[in-house]
Amino acid sequence: MRVIISGGGTGGHIFPAISIANALKEADPATEILFVGAEGRMEMERVPQAGYEIKGLPVAGFDRRNLLRNVAVLFKLVRSQRMARRILTEFKPDVCVGVGGYASGPTLKEAQRMGIPTLIQEQNSYPGVTNKLLAKRADKICVAYDGLERFFPADKILKTGNPVRQALLDSSITREKAREAMHLGMKDPVVLIVGGSLGARTLNNAVMYGLNQISQERVQVVWQTGRYYYAQICHDLQHTVCPDNLHVMQFVEDMAMAYAAADIVISRAGASSISELCLLGKPTILVPSPNVAEDHQTKNARALSDRDAAIMVADAEARELLIPLALKTVMKPEKLASLSTEIRKLAVERSAETIAEEVIKLAKR
């Protein structure tokens, strides 16, 4: 069996893609898998690290603010479609999988033109434009949320959930061991703040604004600043009073350990992050990023907050509200237990394996 998996751009697209590839290899080690990504994007580094070959397309996203720049984007799109067709002709896949991101558009569109079966994996509660267009000719659409019949043909939809990093599910580290390894105390509760590998300006600004409050509470705050912001934050903290109970990190290498140590997590509302938090049953405060297509993170967060499975704080209100709310909530064991119970109800098990089974069905057909 030969499978192309296309897409990327962010960890939210790349981690599920690699999880699907691993599940396909687990089902049949002889499966040949080729990734197709966008040149210069994160997948060109992360996919080879995971042990898979990847080819890059020069595709780029449309600039909604400066329309003149889209002339170059259109040329890149046409070139990417030609390159995608050449890759498909040479690799001869039995099926193509799209996980979202720039590269999935031209790759799956060309595959559909060539009569190759296609499967779309939509991570969000509100799909992007690319997947909406591809869905019309897709053979199967795997989703993580209810109600996507509004956007996709109902007979093609299968609710599978979002694949997550296998290391999180395989980890057996205890709360005590995790805290010991991270040099955290056992008594005081832990607030974990993560804004993705690059960081989130809003979350970082909220922490800086709330330094005085953090210093006055018997809590421990683990703060992942992200690579973009780490140096500036360290500089700023040298010119103010940095609380002893604030632990600043550029990047959390072992997320399984960090999750195990935490009593509550503050996160953006990316679909991949939410799926991880659901499976782990972590009490969560979500701050949706407004800088995403169709404001889909707000829709992701509301899918949880409407069910009391998470607390949502609007990006515009986070600077003043986020830290006081987190410090107040982490001191309420009953509230934490309720959030944990409700978010766990939304977890979907074996997502990668289920999607892999659908890929195999299409390949055999």
Side-chain angles (χ1 to χ4, degrees), residues 66-269:
N66 190 336
L67 297 179
L68 287 176
R69 291 182 181 176
N70 291 324
V71 174
V73 172
L74 288 170
F75 276 110
K76 288 181 178 180
L77 179 60
V78 171
R79 187 164 163 239
S80 295
Q81 288 177 332
R82 290 174 181 165
M83 290 175 67
R85 190 171 186 85
R86 191 180 311 127
I87 291 169
L88 291 162
T89 301
E90 293 174 356
F91 188 73
K92 296 181 176 63
D94 298 296
V95 60
C96 283
V97 178
V99 296
Y102 301 142
S104 65
T107 306
L108 265 71
K109 186 175 181 180
E110 290 302 313
Q112 291 171 348
R113 284 178 177 172
M114 296 170 70
I116 299 167
T118 58
L119 179 147
I120 295 170
Q121 200 264 318
E122 174 55 61
Q123 291 112 14
N124 295 294
S125 60
Y126 193 93
V129 175
T130 300
N131 276 355
K132 286 181 189 175
L133 295 172
L134 293 171
K136 297 173 184 176
R137 296 181 64 182
D139 295 273
K140 183 65 70 173
I141 304 166
C142 297
V143 302
Y145 293 90
D146 295 322
L148 269 76
E149 295 82 3
R150 294 174 294 158
F151 311 105
F152 300 141
D155 59 331
K156 297 180 179 181
I157 293 176
L158 177 66
K159 187 177 179 182
T160 61
N162 285 323
V164 302
R165 290 172 280 187
Q166 193 61 38
L168 295 178
L169 303 181
D170 292 343
S171 176
S172 59
I173 190 167
T174 63
R175 178 174 179 267
E176 291 72 23
K177 289 291 184 183
R179 290 194 175 190
E180 182 181 343
M182 296 180 72
H183 308 290
L184 298 170
M186 298 297 169
K187 283 187 177 182
D188 296 338
V190 173
V191 178
L192 172 65
I193 304 172
V194 287
S197 58
L198 300 179
R201 181 184 285 110
T202 296
L203 302 189
N204 292 341
N205 288 343
V207 178
M208 292 298 293
Y209 187 80
L211 287 178
N212 187 50
Q213 289 172 298
I214 292 171
S215 68
Q216 295 176 16
E217 299 292 340
R218 292 192 60 94
V219 298
Q220 303 170 91
V221 177
V222 177
W223 177 21
Q224 178 190 278
T225 65
R227 295 190 183 99
Y228 278 167
Y229 305 101
Y230 182 70
Q232 183 61 50
I233 286 170
C234 288
H235 175 269
D236 293 343
L237 288 173
Q238 288 176 354
H239 295 83
T240 187
V241 179
C242 182
D244 293 335
N245 55 341
L246 179 64
H247 305 267
V248 185
M249 306 174 71
Q250 176 179 329
F251 183 69
V252 177
E253 293 290 346
D254 192 336
M255 280 305 303
M257 182 184 295
Y259 281 144
D263 293 287
I264 193 167
V265 179
I266 297 174
S267 172
R268 284 302 202 186

Side-chain angles (χ1 to χ4, degrees), residues 31-49:
T31 300
E32 293 186 41
I33 297 172
L34 175 66
F35 280 76
V36 178
E39 292 176 353
R41 303 292 289 186
M42 190 188 298
E43 58 267 25
M44 302 305 294
E45 179 183 341
R46 293 292 177 87
V47 169
Q49 288 174 354

Side-chain angles (χ1 to χ4, degrees), residues 123-125 145 162 194-196 200 203 266-275 277 284-290 292 295-304 310-313 315:
Q123 291 112 14
N124 295 294
S125 60
Y145 293 90
N162 285 323
V194 287
L203 302 189
I266 297 174
S267 172
R268 284 302 202 186
S272 189
S273 296
I274 287 177
S275 294
L277 294 163
T284 302
I285 299 176
L286 296 170
V287 185
S289 170
V292 293
D295 195 26
H296 67 255
Q297 285 204 9
T298 295
K299 298 173 178 70
N300 291 349
R302 281 189 178 142
L304 274 71
I311 299 169
M312 186 179 86
V313 175
D315 187 88

